[in-house]
Short mmCIF file of all heavy atoms in Angstrom, two decimals:
data_model
loop_
_atom_site.label_atom_id
_atom_site.label_comp_id
_atom_site.label_asym_id
_atom_site.label_seq_id
_atom_site.Cartn_x
_atom_site.Cartn_y
_atom_site.Cartn_z
N ASN A 13 -63.64 8.90 13.57
CA ASN A 13 -62.54 8.34 14.34
C ASN A 13 -62.00 7.12 13.60
O ASN A 13 -62.59 6.04 13.70
CB ASN A 13 -63.00 7.95 15.75
CG ASN A 13 -63.35 9.13 16.61
OD1 ASN A 13 -62.88 10.24 16.39
ND2 ASN A 13 -64.19 8.91 17.61
N PRO A 14 -60.91 7.25 12.86
CA PRO A 14 -60.47 6.16 12.00
C PRO A 14 -60.16 4.85 12.73
O PRO A 14 -59.65 4.85 13.85
CB PRO A 14 -59.19 6.71 11.36
CG PRO A 14 -59.33 8.19 11.43
CD PRO A 14 -60.07 8.45 12.71
N HIS A 15 -60.47 3.76 12.07
CA HIS A 15 -59.96 2.44 12.44
C HIS A 15 -58.46 2.44 12.18
O HIS A 15 -57.98 3.03 11.22
CB HIS A 15 -60.65 1.38 11.58
CG HIS A 15 -60.07 0.02 11.63
ND1 HIS A 15 -59.04 -0.39 10.80
CD2 HIS A 15 -60.35 -1.06 12.41
CE1 HIS A 15 -58.75 -1.66 11.05
NE2 HIS A 15 -59.52 -2.08 12.03
N THR A 16 -57.68 1.77 13.04
CA THR A 16 -56.22 1.77 12.85
C THR A 16 -55.59 0.39 13.04
O THR A 16 -54.37 0.29 13.08
CB THR A 16 -55.53 2.73 13.82
OG1 THR A 16 -55.59 2.17 15.15
CG2 THR A 16 -56.16 4.11 13.82
N TRP A 17 -56.41 -0.66 13.20
CA TRP A 17 -55.82 -1.95 13.58
C TRP A 17 -55.17 -2.60 12.35
O TRP A 17 -55.72 -3.53 11.75
CB TRP A 17 -56.86 -2.87 14.22
CG TRP A 17 -56.19 -3.96 15.00
CD1 TRP A 17 -55.34 -4.90 14.50
CD2 TRP A 17 -56.25 -4.19 16.41
NE1 TRP A 17 -54.87 -5.71 15.51
CE2 TRP A 17 -55.42 -5.30 16.69
CE3 TRP A 17 -56.93 -3.59 17.46
CZ2 TRP A 17 -55.25 -5.82 17.97
CZ3 TRP A 17 -56.77 -4.10 18.73
CH2 TRP A 17 -55.94 -5.20 18.98
N THR A 18 -53.98 -2.13 12.00
CA THR A 18 -53.18 -2.75 10.94
C THR A 18 -51.77 -2.96 11.46
O THR A 18 -51.42 -4.04 11.90
CB THR A 18 -53.21 -1.90 9.66
OG1 THR A 18 -52.77 -0.55 9.96
CG2 THR A 18 -54.60 -1.85 9.05
N ASN A 19 -50.97 -1.90 11.43
CA ASN A 19 -49.59 -1.96 11.94
C ASN A 19 -49.11 -0.52 12.14
O ASN A 19 -49.88 0.43 11.97
CB ASN A 19 -48.69 -2.73 10.98
CG ASN A 19 -48.75 -2.19 9.56
OD1 ASN A 19 -48.46 -1.03 9.32
ND2 ASN A 19 -49.18 -3.02 8.61
N GLY A 20 -47.83 -0.37 12.50
CA GLY A 20 -47.31 0.95 12.82
C GLY A 20 -47.41 1.95 11.68
O GLY A 20 -47.71 3.13 11.91
N LEU A 21 -47.16 1.51 10.45
CA LEU A 21 -47.28 2.43 9.32
C LEU A 21 -48.73 2.81 9.07
O LEU A 21 -49.04 3.97 8.75
CB LEU A 21 -46.68 1.80 8.06
CG LEU A 21 -45.16 1.92 7.89
CD1 LEU A 21 -44.68 1.08 6.73
CD2 LEU A 21 -44.77 3.39 7.68
N GLY A 22 -49.65 1.85 9.22
CA GLY A 22 -51.06 2.18 9.08
C GLY A 22 -51.54 3.12 10.16
O GLY A 22 -52.31 4.05 9.90
N LEU A 23 -51.09 2.90 11.40
CA LEU A 23 -51.43 3.80 12.50
C LEU A 23 -50.91 5.20 12.23
O LEU A 23 -51.62 6.20 12.42
CB LEU A 23 -50.87 3.26 13.81
CG LEU A 23 -51.03 4.13 15.05
CD1 LEU A 23 -52.49 4.46 15.31
CD2 LEU A 23 -50.41 3.43 16.27
N ALA A 24 -49.67 5.30 11.75
CA ALA A 24 -49.08 6.61 11.45
C ALA A 24 -49.87 7.34 10.37
O ALA A 24 -50.11 8.56 10.47
CB ALA A 24 -47.62 6.45 11.02
N ALA A 25 -50.29 6.62 9.34
CA ALA A 25 -51.05 7.25 8.25
C ALA A 25 -52.39 7.77 8.76
O ALA A 25 -52.80 8.89 8.44
CB ALA A 25 -51.26 6.25 7.12
N ASN A 26 -53.09 6.96 9.56
CA ASN A 26 -54.37 7.40 10.10
C ASN A 26 -54.20 8.55 11.09
O ASN A 26 -55.05 9.44 11.18
CB ASN A 26 -55.11 6.23 10.73
CG ASN A 26 -55.81 5.36 9.70
OD1 ASN A 26 -56.80 5.76 9.12
ND2 ASN A 26 -55.27 4.17 9.47
N LEU A 27 -53.10 8.55 11.84
CA LEU A 27 -52.83 9.66 12.74
C LEU A 27 -52.69 10.97 11.97
O LEU A 27 -53.14 12.03 12.43
CB LEU A 27 -51.57 9.39 13.56
CG LEU A 27 -51.76 8.58 14.84
CD1 LEU A 27 -50.41 8.12 15.38
CD2 LEU A 27 -52.51 9.40 15.90
N GLN A 28 -52.06 10.93 10.81
CA GLN A 28 -51.91 12.15 10.02
C GLN A 28 -53.28 12.70 9.63
O GLN A 28 -53.49 13.92 9.65
CB GLN A 28 -51.05 11.88 8.78
CG GLN A 28 -49.59 11.60 9.07
CD GLN A 28 -48.86 12.77 9.72
OE1 GLN A 28 -49.16 13.93 9.46
NE2 GLN A 28 -47.90 12.46 10.58
N LEU A 29 -54.22 11.82 9.29
CA LEU A 29 -55.57 12.29 8.99
C LEU A 29 -56.24 12.84 10.24
O LEU A 29 -56.90 13.89 10.20
CB LEU A 29 -56.41 11.17 8.39
CG LEU A 29 -57.83 11.58 8.00
CD1 LEU A 29 -57.81 12.65 6.92
CD2 LEU A 29 -58.65 10.39 7.58
N MET A 30 -56.09 12.15 11.38
CA MET A 30 -56.69 12.64 12.63
C MET A 30 -56.21 14.05 12.95
O MET A 30 -56.97 14.87 13.47
CB MET A 30 -56.33 11.70 13.78
CG MET A 30 -56.94 10.32 13.70
SD MET A 30 -56.40 9.32 15.11
CE MET A 30 -56.23 7.72 14.35
N GLY A 31 -54.95 14.32 12.67
CA GLY A 31 -54.41 15.64 12.94
C GLY A 31 -54.93 16.71 12.00
O GLY A 31 -54.84 17.90 12.31
N ALA A 32 -55.50 16.30 10.87
CA ALA A 32 -55.91 17.26 9.85
C ALA A 32 -57.37 17.66 9.94
O ALA A 32 -57.76 18.72 9.43
CB ALA A 32 -55.66 16.67 8.45
N ILE A 33 -58.21 16.84 10.59
CA ILE A 33 -59.66 17.05 10.50
C ILE A 33 -60.24 17.58 11.81
O ILE A 33 -59.72 17.28 12.89
CB ILE A 33 -60.38 15.76 10.07
CG1 ILE A 33 -60.19 14.65 11.12
CG2 ILE A 33 -59.86 15.31 8.70
CD1 ILE A 33 -60.91 13.36 10.79
N PRO A 34 -61.34 18.34 11.75
CA PRO A 34 -61.91 18.92 12.97
C PRO A 34 -62.83 17.99 13.74
O PRO A 34 -63.11 18.24 14.92
CB PRO A 34 -62.70 20.12 12.43
CG PRO A 34 -63.12 19.69 11.07
CD PRO A 34 -61.98 18.86 10.53
N ASN A 35 -63.33 16.92 13.11
CA ASN A 35 -64.38 16.10 13.73
C ASN A 35 -63.86 14.73 14.19
O ASN A 35 -64.59 13.74 14.16
CB ASN A 35 -65.58 15.94 12.80
CG ASN A 35 -65.21 15.49 11.39
OD1 ASN A 35 -64.12 15.79 10.90
ND2 ASN A 35 -66.11 14.79 10.73
N CYS A 36 -62.62 14.69 14.65
CA CYS A 36 -62.04 13.48 15.24
C CYS A 36 -61.94 13.69 16.75
O CYS A 36 -61.46 14.73 17.20
CB CYS A 36 -60.66 13.20 14.65
SG CYS A 36 -59.79 11.82 15.43
N THR A 37 -62.39 12.70 17.53
CA THR A 37 -62.35 12.82 18.99
C THR A 37 -61.40 11.83 19.65
O THR A 37 -60.93 12.09 20.76
CB THR A 37 -63.75 12.63 19.60
OG1 THR A 37 -64.21 11.29 19.33
CG2 THR A 37 -64.74 13.63 19.03
N HIS A 38 -61.14 10.68 19.00
CA HIS A 38 -60.35 9.63 19.62
C HIS A 38 -59.46 8.93 18.60
O HIS A 38 -59.82 8.82 17.43
CB HIS A 38 -61.24 8.55 20.26
CG HIS A 38 -62.02 9.01 21.45
ND1 HIS A 38 -63.17 9.77 21.33
CD2 HIS A 38 -61.83 8.80 22.78
CE1 HIS A 38 -63.65 10.01 22.54
NE2 HIS A 38 -62.86 9.43 23.44
N CYS A 39 -58.35 8.43 19.09
CA CYS A 39 -57.43 7.60 18.30
C CYS A 39 -57.51 6.16 18.79
O CYS A 39 -57.26 5.89 19.98
CB CYS A 39 -56.00 8.10 18.43
SG CYS A 39 -54.74 6.95 17.77
N GLU A 40 -57.83 5.25 17.89
CA GLU A 40 -57.75 3.83 18.25
C GLU A 40 -56.28 3.44 18.39
O GLU A 40 -55.49 3.61 17.47
CB GLU A 40 -58.41 2.96 17.17
CG GLU A 40 -58.34 1.48 17.52
CD GLU A 40 -59.06 0.58 16.54
OE1 GLU A 40 -59.09 0.91 15.34
OE2 GLU A 40 -59.60 -0.45 16.98
N TYR A 41 -55.94 2.90 19.57
CA TYR A 41 -54.57 2.51 19.86
C TYR A 41 -54.57 1.01 20.12
O TYR A 41 -54.84 0.55 21.23
CB TYR A 41 -54.05 3.27 21.08
CG TYR A 41 -52.57 3.10 21.35
CD1 TYR A 41 -51.63 3.94 20.76
CD2 TYR A 41 -52.11 2.10 22.20
CE1 TYR A 41 -50.27 3.79 21.01
CE2 TYR A 41 -50.76 1.94 22.46
CZ TYR A 41 -49.85 2.79 21.86
OH TYR A 41 -48.50 2.64 22.12
N PRO A 42 -54.31 0.18 19.09
CA PRO A 42 -54.36 -1.27 19.25
C PRO A 42 -53.34 -1.75 20.28
O PRO A 42 -52.13 -1.55 20.12
CB PRO A 42 -54.03 -1.79 17.85
CG PRO A 42 -54.40 -0.68 16.93
CD PRO A 42 -54.05 0.57 17.69
N TYR A 43 -53.85 -2.41 21.33
CA TYR A 43 -52.97 -2.76 22.44
C TYR A 43 -53.66 -3.82 23.29
O TYR A 43 -54.67 -3.54 23.94
CB TYR A 43 -52.68 -1.52 23.27
CG TYR A 43 -51.72 -1.69 24.43
CD1 TYR A 43 -50.55 -2.44 24.30
CD2 TYR A 43 -51.98 -1.08 25.65
CE1 TYR A 43 -49.66 -2.58 25.37
CE2 TYR A 43 -51.09 -1.21 26.72
CZ TYR A 43 -49.94 -1.96 26.57
OH TYR A 43 -49.07 -2.10 27.63
#
């Protein structure tokens, strides 16, 4: 489950990986 606490472009990049892999369960949503 990738760390994403950078900014919108970093979150978008990590989201692309989350969408590609089978062993991701959650998205960190900095808020």
Side-chain angles (χ1 to χ4, degrees):
N13 292 336
H15 169 272
T16 71
W17 199 299
T18 55
N19 54 59
L21 277 171
L23 175 57
N26 280 289
L27 274 167
Q28 291 297 327
L29 181 63
M30 293 179 217
I33 63 178
N35 50 330
C36 174
T37 63
H38 292 78
C39 168
E40 180 176 34
Y41 189 88
Y43 183 43

